[in-house]
Amino acid sequence: MSQQQFENFTASSLYCQKCKAAMPVRERLLLVLPDKEIFDYLCTGCGSSVGRREITAGEKLLAQAKAGRRPRRPGAVHQLTP
């Protein structure tokens, strides 16, 4: 197994202190900063916070490049014509 497989790890279940068990979690965007984004993991059973994940701007660009997508330009406005 290569180290590259674990670069963009996202949790699907984490241990919850309130539920006293490993529970499925959902990821919620908590904060967007110029150099990173911070996500909070919430227990689907009780809704309490059970962990955090930070994605730096470099990691985000690398993930988008691997997926074959170009990042959107900031401030780009798209107009729909009727």
Side-chain angles (χ1 to χ4, degrees):
M1 294 188 147
S2 69
Q3 181 68 22
Q4 190 176 22
Q5 291 175 327
F6 299 103
E7 286 181 3
N8 294 319
F9 180 75
T10 303
S12 59
S13 63
L14 293 170
Y15 183 79
C16 177
Q17 290 285 348
K18 286 186 180 179
C19 297
K20 305 283 189 221
M23 298 293 290
V25 292
R26 61 184 175 91
E27 193 174 52
R28 177 182 67 163
L29 181 60
L30 190 63
L31 185 62
V32 176
L33 299 170
D35 62 336
K36 64 183 170 184
E37 294 178 351
I38 301 174
F39 293 86
D40 195 26
Y41 285 112
L42 301 174
C43 172
T44 58
C46 66
S48 63
S49 177
V50 292
R52 278 209 177 129
R53 178 169 80 109
E54 292 184 10
I55 301 176
T56 63
E59 290 172 341
K60 187 175 180 182
L61 288 173
L62 183 62
Q64 288 175 344
K66 285 182 180 179
R69 294 182 292 169
R70 293 189 336 201
R72 291 182 63 189
R73 294 182 314 196
V77 177
H78 299 282
Q79 293 181 344
L80 299 176
T81 55

